[in-house]
Amino acid sequence: MDLLRHLRHFVVVARELHFGRAAETLGMAQPPLSQSIRRLEQELGATLFDRSQRQVRLTTAGQLLLGEADDLLAGERRLRHLADQVRRGTLGVLRAGVPPETPAVTLRALLDGLAARAPGLDLDLHELASAEQRRMLAEGRLDVGLLHHPVQEAGLRFGEPVDVPVGALLPRVSPLVRAREVALADLAGLDLVTAPPATAPGWHEHLLSVCRQHGFVPPRVRPARNPEFLFGLLLAGGAVAVEPAALARREPRIAWRPLTGTPLVRRISAAWPSRAAHPAAPMFGRLAAEVLAAPETPVGPALIAPAARPWPVLFDAGRDGELSL
């Protein structure tokens, strides 16, 4: 028996104290409504309405049940509302990964934006390199991440990508800083400081390939996992890093210069599993794209959406779709 449905019928009849009007309110015929009330009385083993007089009246059992039925039905509505929020991704916990170099202002915008869109959603944020995020997404230990492209991982869907131009990070005492922009070939003879290959293998290979194509073959590639270590290697002299402009703002002794012809961009987008995806993952992806592409967000020089970028497309990730190389 559908107890809640019969209780809903009972509550309307108890309010109206008239089977005809109750049936009209419920949008049903009177005979099925009378049958529903009799089924409920049989199930509970108690008479709920006194039908001996012309006027329908609640029995003592009916009066007691009315208060309980109201509470039960209100609880059902709350339960359905909670289930709907979980289904739409506005309630629960979202485990998200972001790259270690993500600026504080970007994290704040993500947190504020998510709180505004889904106040009931708890964001469990993790600082993880792209390779770690891909592994945790595959293992089901992460719901969504912000990944650097290119990404060869199967079974992922991607949000709208954002392209961030990268340039040369150099000590302010370097003669190269005098120019308004730097060609990759001008960096010949300098070591290249960049993240270890294991953290983002696709980007690492792509970076070295483009550098070689443009006449920059560094004598050594020196790994740096965190910005402070990277700055230390640069300030020691004889090295350069190719990073977004936002990184230079953390160290006043470091300058950023754009690369001639913009041969490199760092593409980033949200990614989540294709199967059994968290319902909030696409929403996080849309929010991340808005935050990263917003001109007022100081994460680098103008961040340009793919449709408007002036540089060649080296790899692509369609919106909410599979990666295309």
Side-chain angles (χ1 to χ4, degrees):
M1 184 183 77
D2 187 348
L3 179 61
L4 291 174
R5 181 170 65 88
H6 293 303
L7 284 175
R8 282 193 289 271
H9 294 169
F10 163 74
V11 167
V12 176
V13 176
R15 300 295 186 211
E16 296 287 348
L17 292 178
H18 191 282
F19 277 84
R21 290 195 299 270
E24 185 177 348
T25 299
L26 289 165
M28 61 187 299
Q30 184 173 333
L33 176 60
S34 298
Q35 294 172 10
S36 176
I37 298 302
R38 282 196 291 272
R39 286 281 307 277
L40 180 62
E41 289 176 326
Q42 292 170 4
E43 182 69 21
L44 298 178
T47 301
L48 303 176
F49 293 100
D50 181 358
R51 304 173 179 82
S52 61
Q53 305 296 325
R54 282 187 171 185
Q55 185 177 3
V56 176
R57 296 180 180 179
L58 282 169
T59 63
T60 300
Q63 292 173 357
L64 293 173
L65 179 62
L66 182 58
E68 296 295 331
D70 283 336
D71 291 342
L72 283 171
L73 294 174
E76 182 211 16
R77 288 191 294 271
R78 288 194 298 271
L79 184 61
R80 289 183 181 277
H81 178 65
L82 289 175
D84 182 61
Q85 286 183 295
V86 172
R87 186 169 55 253
R88 290 186 290 111
T90 58
L91 189 68
V93 177
L94 179 68
R95 301 166 299 173
V98 296
E101 71 276 9
T102 306
V105 67
T106 302
L107 291 177
R108 175 65 184 271
L110 280 172
L111 292 169
D112 288 349
L114 201 64
R117 298 186 186 195
L121 189 65
D122 182 16
L123 183 62
D124 183 14
L125 205 58
H126 300 266
E127 182 187 43
L128 299 165
S130 287
E132 294 174 291
Q133 292 187 51
R134 296 201 313 270
R135 183 173 62 254
M136 292 179 67
L137 286 167
E139 295 172 353
R141 295 189 291 128
L142 203 65
D143 300 312
V144 65
L146 289 180
L147 301 183
H148 292 307
H149 292 274
V151 179
Q152 302 290 350
E153 202 79 18
L156 291 179
R157 296 187 66 82
F158 296 90
E160 185 72 35
V162 174
D163 290 339
V164 183
V166 295
L169 288 184
L170 295 157
R172 289 195 176 274
V173 297
S174 170
L176 293 173
V177 173
R178 298 170 188 166
R180 297 188 63 179
E181 60 182 23
V182 177
L184 281 173
D186 296 337
L187 306 177
L190 297 176
D191 291 345
L192 177 64
V193 182
T194 188
T199 62
W203 167 253
H204 190 271
E205 293 174 10
H206 177 68
L207 170 62
L208 295 182
S209 174
V210 173
C211 286
R212 286 194 299 269
Q213 292 170 18
H214 288 79
F216 173 39
V217 181
R220 286 192 299 172
V221 178
R222 309 178 69 175
R225 288 184 174 274
N226 63 74
E228 293 303 318
F229 188 66
L230 180 146
F231 294 147
L233 293 177
L234 295 182
L235 292 172
V240 64
V242 179
E243 298 286 344
L247 195 58
R249 300 191 183 106
R250 303 188 188 185
E251 173 51 66
R253 294 170 293 175
I254 295 294
W256 183 87
R257 292 295 179 267
L259 297 176
T260 304
T262 319
L264 277 164
V265 293
R266 176 169 286 182
R267 176 165 293 182
I268 186 170
S269 72
W272 58 91
S274 299
R275 296 183 178 181
H278 192 291
M283 175 183 64
F284 180 89
R286 291 189 294 271
L287 173 62
E290 292 171 14
V291 168
L292 291 170
E296 64 273 17
T297 302
V299 296
L303 298 182
I304 304 176
R309 56 182 174 263
W311 44 81
V313 178
L314 301 175
F315 35 81
D316 197 18
R319 182 168 184 167
D320 292 357
E322 299 295 336
L323 182 69
S324 299
L325 297 180

